[in-house]
Amino acid sequence: RVTINHSHILQGRGDRREFPLYSENDSPIFGSKIVLRFRPATKSDIVFIKEFKSKPKGTTGVRSKEAFTPPIRISNNLSQALRSGSRKNAAGIMEYRVKPCPDPARKDSTTWMTEDEIEIESRKPSQKWIEVGSGNLGRVYFEILGCDGLPNLDNALGGKDDCFACIVFEDAVVNSEVIVDSNSPRWMPWTQRAFIFNVDHPTSQILLGIFDHDKTTAISTHDPIGRVAVDITNLRPQTEYTLTYNLYTSGHVDAHDPVGTIVVRLRTQWHSVPGIYLKSFTFPQKNYVNTFKKHDFRTTHFAVVGKENIYDFDTDVLNSYTHELLALIDILHYVKIAAVTVFLWRGHFQCSFPLPWFQRDRDYRNGTGLQPARLHCNLPLHSIFAFTTSAMLVENYNLLPSFFFFSIAWLFLATSDYNRRHPSPWMKPRSIKSMYSSLLTGHIEKAYIEEYENAEEGEAFEAQEKAEIEASRFIQTDSSNKTEEHIVKELTKEEEELRKMDSVDDNIATKKNKMSLLTPLKHILLPIQLNLGKIIVVLRVVKSLVSWEASYYAFFIFNFSILTGVLLLFVPWDIIFRWTLRIIVWGSLGPQMKLVDHYYVRKYQRNEEQRRADEYANQTIAIISAKRILHIKNEKAVKLKDMKRYMFGKFIVEVPRFKEYRYRDVPLAKSFAVPFSDDEDVPPERIIATKKGQYLLGDMIPIWAKRHNDWQKSLSTKRIQTARRQKPEPRHRYNVQFSENEQTSLMSSPKGAQRYDPTRRYDTDTDFTTPSVRHTNLAVSTQMMNNNIQSFFPPWGRDEGKTEEDNYVEV
């Protein structure tokens, strides 16, 4: 047990406190303690505890319906699915039944439509939206329009896929409506297809998976078809994007063949452009989404990760990690290009200069007069920068720290320039100039991209780059290939001799035994796979930064490097280095070291046991501190896990924080973007439902609300504003009598001595602010207290006749 003073409880603000444990005979239990938190209870805390006590033990997902949008299937009737899905109208044109149902407002004209009419109808604005998420940085308006070329997973049953989409964004998970019996589904404007995601970080991704809806049981679930990750980092506001993506079964392993396409439409809206850059200074918060049912967990896991389980041993995943590490040799190709460009002064920056002394002929077509000629050339800026900085550095070593950071900025500038050379607008990152402009003006320019814009040029650029990489691989491995050919020939000879002797065993049971040998090695190979996975994720994140896929982070690193390099120019490094060396030489090699030896070293050697004891004590303290940090971290993780299980469901999926996928999902050439003006009438969004995100805030009973940078400040501001709008409620007044000890403690306090009067009635809410008598915000109903109470202490902790030291709460 532990005894706690009332002041500890009344003064608590939710901070973590440790108390030693005692046995029943009040003797301390060595090494045992209890950790408690105290804070004033809010109305939401009281409601939460009452609801928690009313639920059976082990209940999970009490708020799952408020944070999860399940797929909707209008009819499960077999006869409805088997009805004819096509017909010919009076003109002999083929018409198809609109799925999943016609427009309730236009049933006659939307029950049967031609293929072109269905396509046009699906591109119309959505009629109903669902708002989800807990971010407050901006909004993403996301619509699912249709899919094409999906594999038929219900072919054995004589039907087609019943397609629906599962979408995960930050701390929210939603599902679309089910389109039955179609391998090229189209989601109509009146179906559940449109969602508004509240954004918390500008580098977040929309993770989407397409599934075949089946009847779920304990062992069967919805069949996964394909997935895609939609990156919103480089999308411009006030621009409507209609994007077509390839669907893949995985974003991690080697197998990366498309299984169909999907068309989505989205646009972004930011509350503050400078807020985007400020938010990019921080890392995204960890997001976990919970589901109440296991089949929902499987669909969510596939949308986030893919078909493989990267957290369990899998030979495909391990081989994929190995191949990805070996593929890093392709970086040598880009290093070679950079070296040739810098050392051979090859121009890359296009510019033109007017030549006033040369004039061109008159342009009669445009009616212009004589124009000065212009000189077009490519300047080797990288070579100029490398030569200038190296020459300065050779003459002045003080510039080394500054030029180190300048070189980082130079690297990001060069990679940005190289990636922007790609002809396809979907592969180009945002330019540094446009990011500076948006940061200073608070306005991001719109985008206009046509269908198949620079598609042929982009394919030619990628083919040429791939050919160059393959050529460099062949050159690097040519000699090794010759050696391998020699080994293969030798092995072939040996195999022929073995066949002659009939000693070759082709029984596949041997292979099974070899595969079975992997099972005992799982405990060895699984840690290797997990560690490789962590290394791979770090390399993928670095790649996304250098290639400007995460443009906001790259922009921050670029500017930070430049600013740091400029500041370091003013540091007198030569003086610092010289005086550092002087202090080291004079301090460690001077004659005063004799005194150090006499008064310190020898004395220290005599007390060798004491020294070892001190070292052991210091190491013990360090270990205890580290264990305490880990223990607190584990406490928060366990508490968050249990709280999320209770509120949203026991199945948890972690959402990636960064660009952690091996392959980048790029829109296809048929995608396009159309800007809209500020004055243009955008179709209003009719929000039919609002689903909260699954982000929880707080160390005790968490707050389930929007994300805030300083939630306590926002809550206090909200309380102040509410108090100003509302009339003050009458306060409860009690006839309070104080004991002699309490009168003494009050009179000893300066505020208490000024305000205490034994003859008057006191306002228990405001008259006393000393912790020993304040009780108004405790989670104790005033109905529990009689009007004739004899103390300000809570009714369970005060016994009349006991002294102040005896009044403790026993836990």
Side-chain angles (χ1 to χ4, degrees):
R1 69 177 183 178
V2 60
T3 54
I4 306 173
N5 195 319
H6 285 91
S7 60
H8 287 290
I9 298 178
L10 298 174
Q11 293 177 356
R13 289 297 177 268
D15 51 329
R16 185 178 182 275
R17 299 189 181 186
E18 299 180 358
F19 300 92
L21 289 174
Y22 294 86
S23 60
E24 295 182 357
N25 56 359
D26 293 336
S27 61
I29 304 176
F30 179 76
S32 299
K33 60 184 177 182
I34 187 171
V35 181
L36 301 174
R37 294 178 185 269
F38 315 110
R39 69 168 171 82
T42 62
K43 292 182 179 179
S44 61
D45 295 337
I46 300 174
V47 173
F48 181 90
I49 292 299
K50 288 182 179 179
E51 183 181 21
F52 177 78
K53 291 182 177 180
S54 64
K55 301 291 183 182
K57 187 177 181 180
T59 302
T60 60
V62 296
R63 291 287 185 268
S64 60
K65 294 183 179 180
E66 302 176 33
F68 180 80
T69 305
I72 297 178
R73 183 162 184 163
I74 293 180
S75 176
N76 289 324
N77 190 1
L78 186 60
S79 60
Q80 176 75 14
L82 294 178
R83 273 197 286 172
S84 175
S86 62
R87 71 176 188 182
K88 287 187 178 180
N89 57 14
I93 302 175
M94 185 65 69
E95 291 183 338
Y96 300 91
R97 184 183 298 275
V98 176
K99 300 173 182 179
C101 63
D103 186 359
R106 300 177 296 133
K107 290 186 177 181
D108 295 336
S109 60
T110 58
T111 301
W112 296 92
M113 302 178 74
T114 64
E115 186 175 355
D116 294 337
E117 291 174 345
I118 291 176
E119 185 69 25
I120 295 173
E121 190 73 25
S122 66
R123 299 298 178 100
K124 292 183 179 180
S126 299
Q127 299 178 8
K128 52 185 180 180
W129 296 74
I130 298 177
E131 184 176 2
V132 294
S134 57
N136 59 354
L137 186 64
R139 283 180 163 188
V140 175
Y141 297 83
F142 187 80
E143 301 171 85
I144 306 171
L145 301 183
C147 295
D148 288 299
L150 300 181
N152 190 1
L153 303 183
D154 288 343
N155 189 24
L157 301 177
K160 296 181 180 180
D161 296 335
D162 302 331
C163 300
F164 75 97
C166 176
I167 311 166
V168 180
F169 182 77
E170 292 183 346
D171 63 338
V173 53
V174 294
N175 292 270
S176 71
E177 198 155 335
V178 181
I179 308 299
V180 297
D181 200 37
S182 176
N183 292 334
S184 297
R186 293 295 183 270
W187 281 268
M188 292 300 169
W190 54 85
T191 61
Q192 182 174 296
R193 71 169 192 180
F195 307 94
I196 302 176
F197 297 107
N198 293 309
V199 185
D200 179 66
H201 203 276
T203 62
S204 300
Q205 301 176 93
I206 301 175
L207 310 176
L208 183 146
I210 300 296
F211 302 87
D212 175 26
H213 191 279
D214 293 324
K215 184 177 181 180
T216 58
T217 61
I219 58 175
S220 64
T221 183
H222 309 305
D223 297 326
I225 299 176
R227 62 169 301 280
V228 68
V230 181
D231 189 10
I232 67 171
T233 304
N234 294 319
L235 300 184
R236 313 291 179 86
Q238 297 182 345
T239 304
E240 187 176 75
Y241 292 86
T242 303
L243 307 178
T244 304
Y245 288 93
N246 280 328
L247 293 171
Y248 301 94
T249 57
S250 173
H252 295 277
V253 297
D254 292 333
H256 200 65
D257 299 325
V259 293
T261 60
I262 184 172
V263 182
V264 298
R265 185 169 59 198
L266 71 158
R267 68 180 191 271
T268 59
Q269 176 186 354
W270 304 108
H271 300 325
S272 173
V273 174
I276 303 175
Y277 292 92
L278 292 176
K279 193 70 175 181
S280 63
F281 293 164
T282 61
F283 292 122
Q285 296 184 4
K286 280 189 176 182
N287 288 308
Y288 298 90
V289 290
N290 294 52
T291 59
F292 182 67
K293 298 179 180 179
K294 191 170 185 179
H295 62 265
D296 293 328
F297 162 76
R298 291 172 177 171
T299 57
T300 305
H301 184 272
F302 178 82
V304 173
V305 179
K307 66 177 182 180
E308 68 280 342
N309 184 7
I310 60 177
Y311 302 107
D312 195 5
F313 177 70
D314 190 342
T315 55
D316 293 336
V317 176
L318 186 59
N319 292 332
S320 176
Y321 287 162
T322 306
H323 296 162
E324 189 171 355
L325 288 176
L326 294 176
L328 293 177
I329 197 173
D330 295 341
I331 297 178
L332 297 178
H333 168 69
Y334 300 101
V335 173
K336 177 183 176 182
I337 294 177
V340 170
T341 303
V342 172
F343 288 105
L344 300 183
W345 284 68
R346 292 188 177 180
H348 58 87
F349 183 77
Q350 297 180 357
C351 60
S352 61
F353 301 96
L355 301 176
W357 52 88
F358 293 103
Q359 294 182 345
R360 295 183 300 180
D361 295 334
R362 180 187 298 273
D363 191 348
Y364 294 99
R365 292 176 299 176
N366 297 330
T368 57
L370 297 178
Q371 298 293 331
R374 302 186 70 87
L375 174 64
H376 298 276
C377 62
N378 293 329
L379 291 179
L381 292 184
H382 294 319
S383 302
I384 296 173
F385 176 81
F387 173 73
T388 305
T389 54
S390 300
M392 296 173 61
L393 187 60
V394 169
E395 302 297 332
N396 187 0
Y397 291 103
N398 293 329
L399 302 177
L400 179 60
S402 299
F403 283 7
F404 171 75
F405 286 95
F406 285 150
S407 63
I408 297 177
W410 179 31
L411 172 64
F412 277 86
L413 181 64
T415 55
S416 174
D417 177 69
Y418 182 82
N419 286 283
R420 286 191 58 80
R421 293 182 188 180
H422 199 292
S424 174
W426 305 111
M427 296 295 295
K428 291 182 178 180
R430 290 184 59 187
S431 65
I432 299 177
K433 179 182 177 181
S434 66
M435 299 191 75
Y436 275 126
S437 176
S438 61
L439 178 61
L440 297 176
T441 62
H443 176 74
I444 302 177
E445 69 276 9
K446 306 172 186 177
Y448 177 75
I449 303 174
E450 298 180 349
E451 288 188 70
Y452 298 97
E453 182 175 329
N454 299 334
E456 296 181 358
E457 294 84 349
E459 292 178 359
F461 181 87
E462 293 177 358
Q464 180 182 358
E465 187 178 37
K466 184 177 180 180
E468 293 176 355
I469 294 176
E470 292 294 336
S472 63
R473 285 181 180 175
F474 176 78
I475 294 174
Q476 294 162 7
T477 59
D478 186 31
S479 60
S480 61
N481 288 339
K482 293 180 180 179
T483 306
E484 291 177 0
E485 290 177 0
H486 175 71
I487 295 174
V488 170
K489 291 180 180 179
E490 294 294 332
L491 291 177
T492 304
K493 292 180 180 180
E494 297 292 336
E495 186 177 358
E496 290 178 356
E497 294 178 2
L498 289 173
R499 288 183 181 274
K500 292 179 181 179
M501 295 183 296
D502 280 340
S503 60
V504 177
D505 187 7
D506 294 328
N507 190 353
I508 62 173
T510 304
K511 296 181 180 180
K512 290 184 178 180
N513 292 335
K514 290 181 180 178
M515 295 300 294
S516 64
L517 292 176
L518 292 176
T519 303
L521 298 178
K522 178 179 178 180
H523 68 284
I524 300 176
L525 296 178
L526 180 58
I528 297 176
Q529 174 185 318
L530 296 178
N531 292 328
L532 276 179
K534 294 178 181 178
I535 296 173
I536 290 294
V537 168
V538 173
L539 294 176
R540 291 172 182 172
V541 173
V542 172
K543 177 186 174 183
S544 68
L545 293 175
V546 177
S547 62
W548 288 77
E549 294 177 21
S551 57
Y552 291 106
Y553 284 135
F555 184 71
F556 169 73
I557 297 174
F558 172 77
N559 288 277
F560 175 79
S561 301
I562 293 179
L563 180 61
T564 306
V566 171
L567 294 177
L568 293 179
L569 287 175
F570 300 96
V571 178
W573 294 106
D574 55 345
I575 298 176
I576 294 176
F577 292 153
R578 187 179 298 110
W579 277 99
T580 302
L581 293 176
R582 285 175 179 174
I583 293 173
I584 293 175
V585 171
W586 285 88
S588 60
L589 300 177
Q592 72 278 1
M593 297 303 296
K594 181 63 177 178
L595 300 176
V596 174
D597 179 46
H598 180 73
Y599 290 101
Y600 180 74
V601 176
R602 295 184 179 181
K603 182 179 179 180
Y604 192 69
Q605 291 176 350
R606 297 191 195 101
N607 299 329
E608 184 68 21
E609 296 182 359
Q610 182 65 29
R611 182 182 66 83
R612 293 180 179 178
D614 295 340
E615 290 181 356
Y616 176 77
N618 294 333
Q619 293 177 0
T620 304
I621 293 174
I623 293 173
I624 293 175
S625 301
K627 289 176 62 178
R628 184 175 184 275
I629 294 173
L630 294 176
H631 189 75
I632 294 175
K633 184 178 180 181
N634 185 60
E635 282 179 7
K636 293 182 178 180
V638 172
K639 187 182 300 182
L640 178 63
K641 178 181 178 180
D642 290 342
M643 190 62 67
K644 288 180 68 67
R645 285 166 58 92
Y646 168 74
M647 295 188 67
F648 309 120
K650 62 180 180 179
F651 303 103
I652 306 176
V653 178
E654 182 180 2
V655 182
R657 304 167 63 189
F658 304 101
K659 309 291 189 297
E660 301 179 8
Y661 298 105
R662 179 177 181 180
Y663 302 99
R664 176 188 176 190
D665 292 320
V666 182
L668 301 181
K670 63 176 66 177
S671 305
F672 60 93
V674 180
F676 54 87
S677 61
D678 298 335
D679 299 330
E680 185 177 353
D681 293 331
V682 180
E685 299 84 20
R686 187 171 69 92
I687 301 177
I688 62 171
T690 300
K691 300 289 185 178
K692 295 182 181 180
Q694 298 186 13
Y695 180 73
L696 299 179
L697 199 61
D699 291 328
M700 297 182 68
I701 298 178
I703 295 177
W704 185 29
K706 293 279 187 180
R707 302 179 196 246
H708 294 284
N709 294 331
D710 188 357
W711 64 276
Q712 292 180 340
K713 182 177 179 180
S714 64
L715 289 178
S716 61
T717 305
K718 183 177 180 181
R719 290 173 181 173
I720 293 174
Q721 294 174 353
T722 305
R724 289 175 180 174
R725 291 194 301 265
Q726 298 177 354
K727 294 182 180 180
E729 298 180 357
R731 297 187 177 95
H732 298 283
R733 291 181 176 271
Y734 306 103
N735 185 12
V736 180
Q737 300 179 3
F738 297 97
S739 64
E740 295 181 358
N741 291 332
E742 292 169 344
Q743 293 179 17
T744 304
S745 62
L746 286 173
M747 294 301 294
S748 61
S749 172
K751 292 184 178 180
Q754 295 175 4
R755 305 177 64 177
Y756 171 65
D757 183 0
T759 62
R760 57 166 289 195
R761 293 165 61 90
Y762 288 97
D763 187 335
T764 59
D765 288 341
T766 59
D767 280 350
F768 287 96
T769 58
T770 55
S772 59
V773 296
R774 185 176 65 243
H775 72 284
T776 56
N777 287 332
L778 288 175
V780 183
S781 174
T782 55
Q783 297 178 358
M784 298 172 58
M785 307 174 68
N786 298 324
N787 291 338
N788 296 323
I789 60 173
Q790 302 298 318
S791 174
F792 272 115
F793 288 104
W796 62 81
R798 179 73 181 182
D799 287 340
E800 190 64 29
K802 289 188 177 181
T803 61
E804 182 69 24
E805 290 76 10
D806 296 331
N807 285 281
Y808 287 88
V809 177
E810 188 172 288
V811 180

